[in-house]
Amino acid sequence: MVKKKAAAHILSEDERTTLLAIIDEQFGPGLIREEFDEAMLDLFENIPGFETISPAKASHTVNQLWSTYHGKEARREQ
């Protein structure tokens, strides 16, 4: 499971990989942006410390994760 990283709500590379693997396992590689955002924010609710993440920080983190998720999807299509 993803561990809390201080109050700054920072995810390690391993934690990012784990979150993306959970999304991929539960929903597959074809989520549209809105679906991805909702799924990721739901996961944040289960990470100690992330249930209180500010909307701005959550958006920033989800944007970073989306870039990775979306990039993997594009590579699968090639």
Side-chain angles (χ1 to χ4, degrees):
M1 189 64 187
V2 178
K3 299 175 189 170
K4 180 181 172 185
K5 280 280 202 174
H9 303 105
I10 297 171
L11 295 171
S12 71
E13 189 60 36
D14 285 343
E15 291 166 333
R16 291 173 184 272
T17 300
T18 298
L19 287 172
L20 291 169
I22 291 168
I23 294 292
D24 200 43
E25 182 179 307
Q26 290 183 359
F27 303 101
L31 290 178
I32 62 171
R33 180 60 194 257
E34 293 80 17
E35 294 168 333
F36 179 86
D37 290 358
E38 183 177 332
M40 193 58 67
L41 292 173
D42 286 345
L43 285 177
F44 284 1
E45 289 293 319
N46 296 312
I47 300 172
F50 270 73
E51 67 274 6
T52 61
I53 191 171
S54 72
K57 182 65 178 174
S59 178
H60 178 74
T61 303
V62 170
N63 285 340
Q64 290 177 330
L65 292 164
W66 169 254
S67 293
T68 303
Y69 175 84
H70 188 65
K72 287 181 181 179
E73 179 183 7
R75 286 191 295 277
R76 287 183 187 128
E77 293 174 1
Q78 293 178 353

